[in-house]
Amino acid sequence: MAEPPHDYRRIDDLIHGRVRLAIMAYLSGAEAADFATLREKTGVTDGNLSTHLSKLEQAGYVRLEKQFRDKRPLTTVHLSEAGRDAWIEYLDRMRGLLFDE
């Protein structure tokens, strides 16, 4: 059976989740952001953000860099090359669905 042209099943479910979508969208422009900035931009709790970042990290879409600044933990999240590729593919698939491409 041929694949339908508007196959929604080909959309990356990992990115398509609302919070992960917001994280990926922000990082696609910023390249990297600290945890507090991402929390502010997404409007979620520390625990919720941490859970979503873990999923993106496990997929290889982001890289977390943990360090200390003035004796306080600082986590910086970087969009990986694989993450950028997945993001571009996600956008292309969404364009295809939305604009009949």
Side-chain angles (χ1 to χ4, degrees), residues 6-87:
H6 300 296
D7 190 357
Y8 65 89
R9 295 168 293 187
R10 297 180 65 205
I11 293 172
D12 188 331
D13 285 333
L14 185 64
I15 294 175
H16 198 64
R18 289 180 293 189
V19 175
R20 292 184 300 273
L21 179 61
I23 292 167
M24 294 293 287
Y26 185 78
L27 289 177
S28 71
E31 295 290 327
D34 62 55
F35 190 91
T37 298
L38 285 176
R39 182 184 59 225
E40 177 187 316
K41 296 296 182 183
T42 58
V44 298
T45 64
D46 287 358
N48 199 348
L49 180 58
S50 183
T51 297
H52 288 290
L53 288 175
S54 291
K55 290 179 182 182
L56 291 170
E57 183 181 35
Q58 288 171 359
Y61 291 176
V62 300
R63 178 178 56 83
L64 275 58
E65 178 184 348
K66 297 183 182 232
Q67 54 187 324
F68 284 90
R69 183 175 292 160
D70 299 326
K71 298 183 182 182
R72 301 180 89 187
L74 175 67
T75 300
T76 304
V77 183
H78 301 268
L79 185 63
S80 69
E81 187 174 329
R84 178 160 304 283
D85 291 345
W87 176 247

Side-chain angles (χ1 to χ4, degrees), residues 3 7 10-12 88-98:
E3 187 175 290
D7 190 357
R10 297 180 65 205
I11 293 172
D12 188 331
I88 291 168
E89 185 174 330
Y90 174 84
L91 293 176
D92 288 344
R93 291 198 189 284
M94 290 301 291
R95 267 190 220 97
L97 282 173
L98 294 170

